[in-house]
PDB file of all heavy atoms in Angstrom:
ATOM      1  N   ALA A 353     139.286 110.815 114.353  1.00  0.00           N
ATOM      2  CA  ALA A 353     137.975 110.517 114.913  1.00  0.00           C
ATOM      3  C   ALA A 353     138.111 109.527 116.091  1.00  0.00           C
ATOM      4  O   ALA A 353     139.140 108.868 116.269  1.00  0.00           O
ATOM      5  CB  ALA A 353     137.081 109.900 113.801  1.00  0.00           C
ATOM      6  N   PRO A 354     137.063 109.456 116.895  1.00  0.00           N
ATOM      7  CA  PRO A 354     137.169 108.642 118.117  1.00  0.00           C
ATOM      8  C   PRO A 354     137.599 107.215 117.913  1.00  0.00           C
ATOM      9  O   PRO A 354     138.517 106.680 118.576  1.00  0.00           O
ATOM     10  CB  PRO A 354     135.749 108.722 118.744  1.00  0.00           C
ATOM     11  CG  PRO A 354     135.281 109.993 118.266  1.00  0.00           C
ATOM     12  CD  PRO A 354     135.822 110.207 116.893  1.00  0.00           C
ATOM     13  N   TRP A 355     136.965 106.486 116.954  1.00  0.00           N
ATOM     14  CA  TRP A 355     137.292 105.075 116.751  1.00  0.00           C
ATOM     15  C   TRP A 355     138.801 104.970 116.359  1.00  0.00           C
ATOM     16  O   TRP A 355     139.532 104.074 116.808  1.00  0.00           O
ATOM     17  CB  TRP A 355     136.370 104.389 115.744  1.00  0.00           C
ATOM     18  CG  TRP A 355     136.946 103.170 115.107  1.00  0.00           C
ATOM     19  CD1 TRP A 355     137.265 103.022 113.826  1.00  0.00           C
ATOM     20  CD2 TRP A 355     137.220 101.956 115.818  1.00  0.00           C
ATOM     21  NE1 TRP A 355     137.797 101.732 113.681  1.00  0.00           N
ATOM     22  CE2 TRP A 355     137.750 101.067 114.828  1.00  0.00           C
ATOM     23  CE3 TRP A 355     137.141 101.499 117.146  1.00  0.00           C
ATOM     24  CZ2 TRP A 355     138.190  99.766 115.134  1.00  0.00           C
ATOM     25  CZ3 TRP A 355     137.603 100.202 117.494  1.00  0.00           C
ATOM     26  CH2 TRP A 355     138.090  99.327 116.427  1.00  0.00           C
ATOM     27  N   THR A 356     139.226 105.817 115.442  1.00  0.00           N
ATOM     28  CA  THR A 356     140.608 105.657 114.932  1.00  0.00           C
ATOM     29  C   THR A 356     141.550 106.007 116.101  1.00  0.00           C
ATOM     30  O   THR A 356     142.606 105.291 116.270  1.00  0.00           O
ATOM     31  CB  THR A 356     140.829 106.729 113.799  1.00  0.00           C
ATOM     32  OG1 THR A 356     140.054 106.292 112.691  1.00  0.00           O
ATOM     33  CG2 THR A 356     142.331 106.778 113.369  1.00  0.00           C
ATOM     34  N   LEU A 357     141.294 106.950 116.940  1.00  0.00           N
ATOM     35  CA  LEU A 357     142.135 107.237 118.115  1.00  0.00           C
ATOM     36  C   LEU A 357     142.105 106.037 119.057  1.00  0.00           C
ATOM     37  O   LEU A 357     143.154 105.676 119.607  1.00  0.00           O
ATOM     38  CB  LEU A 357     141.758 108.490 118.814  1.00  0.00           C
ATOM     39  CG  LEU A 357     141.859 109.810 117.979  1.00  0.00           C
ATOM     40  CD1 LEU A 357     141.281 110.980 118.820  1.00  0.00           C
ATOM     41  CD2 LEU A 357     143.314 110.006 117.605  1.00  0.00           C
ATOM     42  N   MET A 358     140.958 105.441 119.235  1.00  0.00           N
ATOM     43  CA  MET A 358     140.816 104.308 120.189  1.00  0.00           C
ATOM     44  C   MET A 358     141.711 103.179 119.721  1.00  0.00           C
ATOM     45  O   MET A 358     142.319 102.460 120.515  1.00  0.00           O
ATOM     46  CB  MET A 358     139.349 103.870 120.216  1.00  0.00           C
ATOM     47  CG  MET A 358     139.070 102.640 121.031  1.00  0.00           C
ATOM     48  SD  MET A 358     137.347 102.190 121.132  1.00  0.00           S
ATOM     49  CE  MET A 358     137.390 100.621 121.748  1.00  0.00           C
ATOM     50  N   THR A 359     141.759 102.893 118.359  1.00  0.00           N
ATOM     51  CA  THR A 359     142.544 101.814 117.870  1.00  0.00           C
ATOM     52  C   THR A 359     144.042 102.027 118.222  1.00  0.00           C
ATOM     53  O   THR A 359     144.679 101.018 118.652  1.00  0.00           O
ATOM     54  CB  THR A 359     142.401 101.661 116.327  1.00  0.00           C
ATOM     55  OG1 THR A 359     142.886 102.798 115.660  1.00  0.00           O
ATOM     56  CG2 THR A 359     140.970 101.410 115.936  1.00  0.00           C
ATOM     57  N   TYR A 360     144.560 103.196 118.130  1.00  0.00           N
ATOM     58  CA  TYR A 360     145.956 103.494 118.439  1.00  0.00           C
ATOM     59  C   TYR A 360     146.155 103.237 119.959  1.00  0.00           C
ATOM     60  O   TYR A 360     147.178 102.711 120.377  1.00  0.00           O
ATOM     61  CB  TYR A 360     146.395 104.811 118.059  1.00  0.00           C
ATOM     62  CG  TYR A 360     146.635 104.983 116.559  1.00  0.00           C
ATOM     63  CD1 TYR A 360     145.830 105.699 115.726  1.00  0.00           C
ATOM     64  CD2 TYR A 360     147.770 104.390 115.992  1.00  0.00           C
ATOM     65  CE1 TYR A 360     146.051 105.856 114.378  1.00  0.00           C
ATOM     66  CE2 TYR A 360     148.089 104.549 114.641  1.00  0.00           C
ATOM     67  CZ  TYR A 360     147.207 105.260 113.837  1.00  0.00           C
ATOM     68  OH  TYR A 360     147.500 105.409 112.522  1.00  0.00           O
ATOM     69  N   MET A 361     145.213 103.680 120.773  1.00  0.00           N
ATOM     70  CA  MET A 361     145.341 103.651 122.174  1.00  0.00           C
ATOM     71  C   MET A 361     145.381 102.161 122.699  1.00  0.00           C
ATOM     72  O   MET A 361     145.947 101.885 123.746  1.00  0.00           O
ATOM     73  CB  MET A 361     144.205 104.421 122.869  1.00  0.00           C
ATOM     74  CG  MET A 361     144.305 105.896 122.533  1.00  0.00           C
ATOM     75  SD  MET A 361     142.731 106.794 123.095  1.00  0.00           S
ATOM     76  CE  MET A 361     143.019 106.890 124.819  1.00  0.00           C
ATOM     77  N   ILE A 362     144.698 101.293 121.994  1.00  0.00           N
ATOM     78  CA  ILE A 362     144.663  99.879 122.387  1.00  0.00           C
ATOM     79  C   ILE A 362     145.694  99.045 121.672  1.00  0.00           C
ATOM     80  O   ILE A 362     146.347  98.161 122.295  1.00  0.00           O
ATOM     81  CB  ILE A 362     143.219  99.320 122.147  1.00  0.00           C
ATOM     82  CG1 ILE A 362     142.209 100.029 123.057  1.00  0.00           C
ATOM     83  CG2 ILE A 362     143.150  97.785 122.310  1.00  0.00           C
ATOM     84  CD1 ILE A 362     140.774  99.716 122.795  1.00  0.00           C
ATOM     85  N   GLU A 363     145.874  99.262 120.392  1.00  0.00           N
ATOM     86  CA  GLU A 363     146.914  98.484 119.633  1.00  0.00           C
ATOM     87  C   GLU A 363     148.303  98.917 119.971  1.00  0.00           C
ATOM     88  O   GLU A 363     149.254  98.142 119.844  1.00  0.00           O
ATOM     89  CB  GLU A 363     146.620  98.662 118.138  1.00  0.00           C
ATOM     90  CG  GLU A 363     145.332  98.205 117.642  1.00  0.00           C
ATOM     91  CD  GLU A 363     145.196  96.671 117.611  1.00  0.00           C
ATOM     92  OE1 GLU A 363     146.235  96.021 117.584  1.00  0.00           O
ATOM     93  OE2 GLU A 363     144.050  96.199 117.476  1.00  0.00           O
ATOM     94  N   GLY A 364     148.469 100.161 120.442  1.00  0.00           N
ATOM     95  CA  GLY A 364     149.789 100.662 120.731  1.00  0.00           C
ATOM     96  C   GLY A 364     150.485 101.304 119.535  1.00  0.00           C
ATOM     97  O   GLY A 364     151.587 101.847 119.622  1.00  0.00           O
ATOM     98  N   GLY A 365     149.872 101.179 118.367  1.00  0.00           N
ATOM     99  CA  GLY A 365     150.376 101.796 117.128  1.00  0.00           C
ATOM    100  C   GLY A 365     149.529 101.283 115.915  1.00  0.00           C
ATOM    101  O   GLY A 365     148.384 100.797 116.142  1.00  0.00           O
ATOM    102  N   GLY A 366     150.151 101.290 114.770  1.00  0.00           N
ATOM    103  CA  GLY A 366     149.441 100.761 113.603  1.00  0.00           C
ATOM    104  C   GLY A 366     149.231  99.254 113.690  1.00  0.00           C
ATOM    105  O   GLY A 366     149.927  98.562 114.331  1.00  0.00           O
ATOM    106  N   SER A 367     148.227  98.782 112.894  1.00  0.00           N
ATOM    107  CA  SER A 367     147.932  97.373 112.887  1.00  0.00           C
ATOM    108  C   SER A 367     147.184  97.035 111.642  1.00  0.00           C
ATOM    109  O   SER A 367     146.409  97.863 111.189  1.00  0.00           O
ATOM    110  CB  SER A 367     147.120  96.924 114.131  1.00  0.00           C
ATOM    111  OG  SER A 367     146.468  95.749 113.959  1.00  0.00           O
ATOM    112  N   ASN A 368     147.364  95.820 111.104  1.00  0.00           N
ATOM    113  CA  ASN A 368     146.717  95.458 109.862  1.00  0.00           C
ATOM    114  C   ASN A 368     145.296  94.953 110.161  1.00  0.00           C
ATOM    115  O   ASN A 368     144.418  95.101 109.355  1.00  0.00           O
ATOM    116  CB  ASN A 368     147.519  94.317 109.161  1.00  0.00           C
ATOM    117  CG  ASN A 368     148.763  94.795 108.493  1.00  0.00           C
ATOM    118  OD1 ASN A 368     148.853  95.959 108.029  1.00  0.00           O
ATOM    119  ND2 ASN A 368     149.743  93.962 108.490  1.00  0.00           N
ATOM    120  N   THR A 369     145.137  94.422 111.366  1.00  0.00           N
ATOM    121  CA  THR A 369     143.806  93.870 111.679  1.00  0.00           C
ATOM    122  C   THR A 369     142.990  94.631 112.732  1.00  0.00           C
ATOM    123  O   THR A 369     141.740  94.483 112.781  1.00  0.00           O
ATOM    124  CB  THR A 369     143.961  92.408 112.228  1.00  0.00           C
ATOM    125  OG1 THR A 369     144.697  92.432 113.402  1.00  0.00           O
ATOM    126  CG2 THR A 369     144.663  91.565 111.179  1.00  0.00           C
ATOM    127  N   MET A 370     143.688  95.390 113.508  1.00  0.00           N
ATOM    128  CA  MET A 370     142.982  96.098 114.658  1.00  0.00           C
ATOM    129  C   MET A 370     142.274  95.098 115.534  1.00  0.00           C
ATOM    130  O   MET A 370     141.243  95.393 116.172  1.00  0.00           O
ATOM    131  CB  MET A 370     142.007  97.189 114.142  1.00  0.00           C
ATOM    132  CG  MET A 370     142.616  98.176 113.153  1.00  0.00           C
ATOM    133  SD  MET A 370     143.908  99.207 113.928  1.00  0.00           S
ATOM    134  CE  MET A 370     144.588  99.991 112.496  1.00  0.00           C
ATOM    135  N   SER A 371     142.768  93.860 115.642  1.00  0.00           N
ATOM    136  CA  SER A 371     142.024  92.863 116.320  1.00  0.00           C
ATOM    137  C   SER A 371     141.897  93.115 117.816  1.00  0.00           C
ATOM    138  O   SER A 371     140.940  92.741 118.500  1.00  0.00           O
ATOM    139  CB  SER A 371     142.660  91.443 116.110  1.00  0.00           C
ATOM    140  OG  SER A 371     144.016  91.473 116.521  1.00  0.00           O
ATOM    141  N   LYS A 372     142.971  93.740 118.429  1.00  0.00           N
ATOM    142  CA  LYS A 372     142.869  94.033 119.865  1.00  0.00           C
ATOM    143  C   LYS A 372     141.789  95.039 120.154  1.00  0.00           C
ATOM    144  O   LYS A 372     140.977  94.924 121.084  1.00  0.00           O
ATOM    145  CB  LYS A 372     144.210  94.551 120.373  1.00  0.00           C
ATOM    146  CG  LYS A 372     145.321  93.494 120.357  1.00  0.00           C
ATOM    147  CD  LYS A 372     146.633  94.125 120.823  1.00  0.00           C
ATOM    148  CE  LYS A 372     147.756  93.097 120.750  1.00  0.00           C
ATOM    149  NZ  LYS A 372     149.089  93.713 121.078  1.00  0.00           N
ATOM    150  N   ALA A 373     141.668  96.097 119.325  1.00  0.00           N
ATOM    151  CA  ALA A 373     140.693  97.143 119.442  1.00  0.00           C
ATOM    152  C   ALA A 373     139.290  96.527 119.191  1.00  0.00           C
ATOM    153  O   ALA A 373     138.318  96.854 119.887  1.00  0.00           O
ATOM    154  CB  ALA A 373     140.995  98.327 118.569  1.00  0.00           C
ATOM    155  N   LYS A 374     139.210  95.731 118.139  1.00  0.00           N
ATOM    156  CA  LYS A 374     137.842  95.144 117.807  1.00  0.00           C
ATOM    157  C   LYS A 374     137.415  94.205 118.897  1.00  0.00           C
ATOM    158  O   LYS A 374     136.222  94.016 119.117  1.00  0.00           O
ATOM    159  CB  LYS A 374     137.965  94.499 116.351  1.00  0.00           C
ATOM    160  CG  LYS A 374     138.081  95.484 115.256  1.00  0.00           C
ATOM    161  CD  LYS A 374     138.017  94.797 113.892  1.00  0.00           C
ATOM    162  CE  LYS A 374     136.633  94.287 113.564  1.00  0.00           C
ATOM    163  NZ  LYS A 374     136.559  93.663 112.181  1.00  0.00           N
ATOM    164  N   ARG A 375     138.368  93.511 119.484  1.00  0.00           N
ATOM    165  CA  ARG A 375     137.950  92.630 120.655  1.00  0.00           C
ATOM    166  C   ARG A 375     137.253  93.392 121.688  1.00  0.00           C
ATOM    167  O   ARG A 375     136.246  92.966 122.255  1.00  0.00           O
ATOM    168  CB  ARG A 375     139.252  91.926 121.194  1.00  0.00           C
ATOM    169  CG  ARG A 375     138.893  91.131 122.463  1.00  0.00           C
ATOM    170  CD  ARG A 375     140.166  90.484 123.066  1.00  0.00           C
ATOM    171  NE  ARG A 375     140.710  89.482 122.191  1.00  0.00           N
ATOM    172  CZ  ARG A 375     141.731  88.681 122.582  1.00  0.00           C
ATOM    173  NH1 ARG A 375     142.364  88.902 123.724  1.00  0.00           N
ATOM    174  NH2 ARG A 375     142.236  87.774 121.774  1.00  0.00           N
ATOM    175  N   TRP A 376     137.701  94.602 121.943  1.00  0.00           N
ATOM    176  CA  TRP A 376     136.999  95.438 122.936  1.00  0.00           C
ATOM    177  C   TRP A 376     135.574  95.666 122.479  1.00  0.00           C
ATOM    178  O   TRP A 376     134.663  95.670 123.349  1.00  0.00           O
ATOM    179  CB  TRP A 376     137.664  96.788 123.064  1.00  0.00           C
ATOM    180  CG  TRP A 376     138.838  96.849 124.079  1.00  0.00           C
ATOM    181  CD1 TRP A 376     139.934  96.083 124.138  1.00  0.00           C
ATOM    182  CD2 TRP A 376     138.913  97.838 125.140  1.00  0.00           C
ATOM    183  NE1 TRP A 376     140.728  96.446 125.193  1.00  0.00           N
ATOM    184  CE2 TRP A 376     140.172  97.491 125.781  1.00  0.00           C
ATOM    185  CE3 TRP A 376     138.231  98.890 125.569  1.00  0.00           C
ATOM    186  CZ2 TRP A 376     140.613  98.191 126.914  1.00  0.00           C
ATOM    187  CZ3 TRP A 376     138.621  99.586 126.671  1.00  0.00           C
ATOM    188  CH2 TRP A 376     139.804  99.260 127.314  1.00  0.00           C
ATOM    189  N   LEU A 377     135.291  95.979 121.232  1.00  0.00           N
ATOM    190  CA  LEU A 377     133.969  96.235 120.798  1.00  0.00           C
ATOM    191  C   LEU A 377     133.048  95.029 121.081  1.00  0.00           C
ATOM    192  O   LEU A 377     131.837  95.249 121.359  1.00  0.00           O
ATOM    193  CB  LEU A 377     133.939  96.591 119.245  1.00  0.00           C
ATOM    194  CG  LEU A 377     134.817  97.745 118.794  1.00  0.00           C
ATOM    195  CD1 LEU A 377     134.593  98.004 117.367  1.00  0.00           C
ATOM    196  CD2 LEU A 377     134.568  98.962 119.677  1.00  0.00           C
ATOM    197  N   TYR A 378     133.547  93.839 120.870  1.00  0.00           N
ATOM    198  CA  TYR A 378     132.744  92.634 121.075  1.00  0.00           C
ATOM    199  C   TYR A 378     132.650  92.222 122.535  1.00  0.00           C
ATOM    200  O   TYR A 378     131.637  91.782 122.973  1.00  0.00           O
ATOM    201  CB  TYR A 378     133.246  91.477 120.233  1.00  0.00           C
ATOM    202  CG  TYR A 378     132.978  91.598 118.744  1.00  0.00           C
ATOM    203  CD1 TYR A 378     133.938  91.933 117.851  1.00  0.00           C
ATOM    204  CD2 TYR A 378     131.681  91.438 118.256  1.00  0.00           C
ATOM    205  CE1 TYR A 378     133.647  92.038 116.508  1.00  0.00           C
ATOM    206  CE2 TYR A 378     131.357  91.519 116.901  1.00  0.00           C
ATOM    207  CZ  TYR A 378     132.397  91.805 116.004  1.00  0.00           C
ATOM    208  OH  TYR A 378     132.156  92.009 114.686  1.00  0.00           O
ATOM    209  N   GLN A 379     133.780  92.300 123.214  1.00  0.00           N
ATOM    210  CA  GLN A 379     133.828  91.809 124.619  1.00  0.00           C
ATOM    211  C   GLN A 379     133.514  92.868 125.673  1.00  0.00           C
ATOM    212  O   GLN A 379     132.995  92.562 126.752  1.00  0.00           O
ATOM    213  CB  GLN A 379     135.165  91.189 124.904  1.00  0.00           C
ATOM    214  CG  GLN A 379     135.519  89.892 124.158  1.00  0.00           C
ATOM    215  CD  GLN A 379     136.791  89.251 124.566  1.00  0.00           C
ATOM    216  OE1 GLN A 379     137.636  89.856 125.339  1.00  0.00           O
ATOM    217  NE2 GLN A 379     137.020  88.043 124.124  1.00  0.00           N
TER     218      GLN A 379
END
Side-chain angles (χ1 to χ4, degrees):
W355 160 246
T356 294
L357 296 177
M358 176 179 168
T359 62
Y360 282 110
M361 294 168 78
I362 293 174
E363 299 287 343
S367 164
N368 290 328
T369 63
M370 307 293 169
S371 59
K372 294 177 183 176
K374 289 185 72 176
R375 175 184 289 186
W376 272 55
L377 304 186
Y378 285 108
Q379 293 186 349

